[in-house]
Amino acid sequence: MIKVLVRGLAACVTVAVVAAPAHAAPSSAPVSVSASVSAARFTVPVLPKPTGPHPVGAVDLHLVDSSRADPWEPGRRRELMVTLRYPARAKTGVRTRYVTPAESALLLAGLGVEGPPPDLLNRIRTNARTGARPLRSGLPLVVLSPGFGLPRSSLTTLSEELASRGYAVATVGHPYEAMATTLPDGTTVTCAACEIEDSPGLVPAIRSADVSFLIGRLTGAHPAWGPPGLIDASRIGMAGHSIGGNSAAQAMVDDPRIDAGLVMDGSFIVPLPESGLARPFMLFGTEGSFLPGGPDEETSWRDNWPRLTGWKRWATVTGAEHESFTDYPVLIEQFGTPPGALPAARAVPITRSYVRAFFDLHLRGVPSPLLNRPSPRNPEVRLWKTP
């Protein structure tokens, strides 16, 4: 058992990280956050509103890849649960729920949060609305992949922001790789992969295949959502948190349809090939793990940096913890836990701004000074390598 002290999720909380194989960095393992707070202090958390000009619509998709057995449950075909958010014409429809009741109970238990009713996270209503009409056709697509052990809901705040700015955003739930995933038949499956010692080394290739299948289902002649052309197949990006970011790099290596990729605080458990990756890629993470030359530097970024042969950036966020790039600081602080060195009020806009600037540049051709020089509005962000 590896133990890590995390300040961004709870004050003086010990986080237990499931033991990983020698080649897996701790930031790729599922976390368990112990935060005991009086039940009387729990109210339904509120997610930050997106800042873009468009209302956000959402639809959940259940996609089954009949050509593949599930690597974690070989008796089943590989299936994905995907939440697709998009810019909408108007604020019509019902606001979507954050997670199912069963997912809520398992997530709270997995994060070690004691005291709230088990369905508390199910009571959260997101800023997206089901059934809202899409704004227009030709939307650039961003695929988001969560960290190992975390559900797709963990990236809701980032997803809604990008959708409000004109992107179709497919946040992928990879069943059996998260603490909880509810399937359409009502079954909620847990993290079978978390029980397999060498699973982190297998995940990037599995998720790469997941994403290629997803892109085909969203952009083909008979798309799983909307009429043909609603998503622009010539403008596709991918970002991921933790091992989801390593999976973004692997997916770009495997699938030339993905134009640009970004990792949020994830190690290269699976390194880039010696032939390299010539399309745009950004490294965006914590100083604790990825400060160049720092005492605790995790060296996979340094080792893989030369293999990124296209546009590239390396940036760190002062005070950030591993989960700062997800929704969890927002939720935990509303449970009454003191904020860490980088409170949610800063972590959310920083993550949104830099991820958006990256995709604006590479999927829309809109440059941003955030990617080239220090920002007075974001003094926490340090750009280390900007070739």
Side-chain angles (χ1 to χ4, degrees), residues 3-162:
K3 297 206 173 191
V4 184
L5 189 66
V6 173
R7 285 278 324 272
L9 295 174
C12 299
V13 170
T14 297
V15 176
V17 182
V18 174
H23 62 274
S27 64
S28 301
V31 297
S32 174
V33 179
S34 177
S36 180
V37 184
S38 169
R41 296 178 61 182
F42 285 101
T43 58
V44 179
V46 177
L47 297 177
K49 294 183 181 298
T51 66
H54 307 300
V56 178
V59 60
D60 284 330
L61 303 174
H62 174 236
L63 304 177
V64 179
D65 186 351
S66 59
S67 70
R68 284 193 298 153
D70 193 288
W72 314 115
E73 294 288 333
R76 301 179 66 109
R77 296 289 91 187
R78 184 60 167 169
E79 54 192 317
L80 304 178
M81 293 303 300
V82 179
T83 299
L84 187 65
R85 297 182 178 88
Y86 53 89
R89 293 178 182 269
K91 290 183 179 180
T92 57
V94 178
R95 291 170 62 188
T96 64
R97 63 184 180 180
Y98 188 60
V99 293
T100 68
E103 288 170 338
S104 175
L106 287 166
L107 287 173
L108 289 172
L111 293 173
V113 182
E114 301 173 0
D119 70 338
L120 180 66
L121 301 182
N122 170 253
R123 302 180 195 179
I124 297 173
R125 291 299 174 261
T126 76
N127 297 289
R129 297 174 182 268
T130 184
R133 293 180 59 194
L135 180 67
R136 57 176 174 266
S137 295
L139 298 172
L141 172 66
V142 174
V143 178
L144 297 180
S145 184
F148 188 49
L150 301 184
R152 69 189 189 278
S153 59
S154 63
L155 298 175
T156 295
T157 298
L158 175 59
S159 175
E160 290 185 338
E161 174 69 11
L162 292 172

Side-chain angles (χ1 to χ4, degrees), residues 126-318:
T126 76
N127 297 289
R129 297 174 182 268
T130 184
R133 293 180 59 194
L135 180 67
R136 57 176 174 266
S137 295
L139 298 172
L141 172 66
V142 174
V143 178
L144 297 180
S145 184
F148 188 49
L150 301 184
R152 69 189 189 278
S153 59
S154 63
L155 298 175
T156 295
T157 298
L158 175 59
S159 175
E160 290 185 338
E161 174 69 11
L162 292 172
S164 78
R165 298 283 178 167
Y167 292 92
V169 186
T171 308
V172 188
H174 308 273
Y176 308 104
E177 297 174 24
M179 284 184 275
T181 306
T182 299
L183 303 175
D185 64 2
T187 302
T188 300
V189 299
T190 56
C191 189
C194 296
E195 302 173 4
I196 300 172
E197 185 177 2
D198 62 350
S199 59
L202 305 175
V203 167
I206 292 168
R207 292 194 181 185
S208 172
D210 288 347
V211 171
S212 288
F213 167 70
L214 170 64
I215 291 172
R217 292 293 286 113
L218 292 179
T219 62
H222 304 285
W225 173 70
L230 200 54
I231 289 176
D232 184 351
S234 70
R235 295 188 293 165
I236 298 175
M238 183 175 174
H241 171 241
S242 193
I243 206 168
N246 191 184
S247 301
Q250 185 64 51
M252 290 185 69
V253 169
D254 296 338
D255 194 329
R257 294 175 296 180
I258 305 174
D259 301 298
L262 183 146
V263 55
M264 294 179 287
D265 208 52
S267 306
F268 284 87
I269 296 172
V270 176
L272 292 169
E274 291 185 6
S275 57
L277 177 62
R279 278 162 283 152
F281 203 87
M282 182 168 179
L283 313 176
F284 189 56
T286 61
E287 285 192 352
S289 294
F290 300 108
L291 179 69
D296 300 316
E297 182 187 3
E298 193 280 318
T299 61
S300 74
W301 283 16
R302 184 182 66 197
D303 295 343
N304 283 272
W305 180 257
R307 298 183 181 185
L308 294 170
T309 59
W311 186 103
K312 57 185 178 180
R313 293 291 185 273
W314 178 328
T316 58
V317 185
T318 303

